Amino acid sequence: SISVMVPAFALLLLWASTALASCYSVRNDASWVKVRTINSSAADCPYFTDNLNGSQAVGAVTGGGEVIQTYDGSSIVGFKFETGNGANFLIARRFQVIGETYTGSSPRDVYCSSYSNSSYTAEWYNRGSNNPSDPLIFLRGYSTTTTSKQNCFYCEYEAGQGDPFQTMWQANGGIDIYVTSNQVFPTSSPTAMPTASPATTSPTASP
């Protein structure tokens, strides 16, 4: 019989290319609509006050933001956060962002981002009306370190006072927030890195 060995690096390459293609497709889907922005000049989190549910009135927002379009937060499918220069982005399903209240102890699922083409979890905050700063959305999750605070994509009501949340938008041309009502996501998130044994034997054929 003939045995063909599939080395581990080939499996990793297949996984990486599949995840990249899925993330690229979702990110560039034509259905995304830009609904608000954080200006690059904003010194702190702008005075957004609707917890990303889409009800805040169109117009300039105190503190360096703008609501471009209202939307029904209960009917959208996902959010995309992207810096003005396109260097940083994050995509997540609606439920993960505003579908329920949560704290950092309940990490949220990120579909993909500029940090990873495949899904991962990040510590965000959406604690309800008593916390007007929320939702707090970070590329790699919130922690007490300065570096983690500098990867903030979204916050409300001057949440960043005393914290370097503004670093992301000031260094990258602002931040644009998009929503979509189309089912842009595949039935499952991009798969995590495979943990298969170093090599797989397949197929076996007779001469």
Side-chain angles (χ1 to χ4, degrees):
S1 63
I2 301 173
S3 295
V4 179
M5 301 300 292
V6 181
F9 75 84
L11 294 176
L12 290 174
L13 285 175
L14 177 61
W15 162 79
S17 62
T18 302
L20 177 60
S22 178
C23 185
Y24 179 88
S25 175
V26 173
R27 181 187 182 188
N28 292 283
D29 191 89
S31 66
W32 291 108
V33 176
K34 184 162 68 173
V35 293
R36 61 186 60 182
T37 63
I38 298 176
N39 302 333
S40 62
S41 59
D44 214 328
C45 305
Y47 270 68
F48 296 119
T49 58
D50 65 350
N51 300 104
L52 266 181
N53 66 25
S55 63
Q56 190 162 349
V58 170
V61 174
T62 301
E66 182 181 3
V67 174
I68 299 170
Q69 182 173 320
T70 59
Y71 57 92
D72 181 0
S74 65
S75 65
I76 61 171
V77 172
F79 285 94
K80 178 174 71 170
F81 305 86
E82 187 165 348
T83 55
N85 62 6
N88 304 277
F89 72 94
L90 182 147
I91 299 170
R93 289 178 168 86
R94 172 202 168 274
F95 181 80
Q96 298 300 321
V97 181
I98 61 170
E100 62 181 357
T101 57
Y102 54 83
T103 65
S105 61
S106 300
R108 313 307 290 174
D109 292 330
V110 178
Y111 181 78
C112 70
S113 73
S114 50
Y115 169 66
S116 174
N117 290 320
S118 61
S119 59
Y120 62 97
T121 59
E123 294 182 5
W124 301 341
Y125 287 85
N126 189 33
R127 294 161 289 186
S129 58
N130 291 330
N131 291 273
S133 61
D134 298 0
L136 294 172
I137 308 298
F138 296 85
L139 178 63
R140 297 181 63 179
Y142 176 86
S143 76
T144 57
T145 66
T146 298
T147 300
S148 69
K149 293 176 182 179
Q150 289 176 340
N151 64 52
C152 180
F153 271 113
Y154 189 81
C155 52
E156 297 190 350
Y157 203 71
E158 283 198 324
Q161 290 189 13
D163 288 319
F165 292 168
Q166 74 278 7
T167 302
M168 178 71 93
W169 54 82
Q170 287 185 351
N172 294 283
I175 293 178
D176 298 321
I177 296 92
Y178 300 80
V179 300
T180 181
S181 297
N182 286 10
Q183 187 51 259
V184 297
F185 300 103
T187 54
S188 61
S189 295
T191 57
M193 185 177 295
T195 56
S197 54
T200 302
T201 302
S202 174
T204 300
S206 299

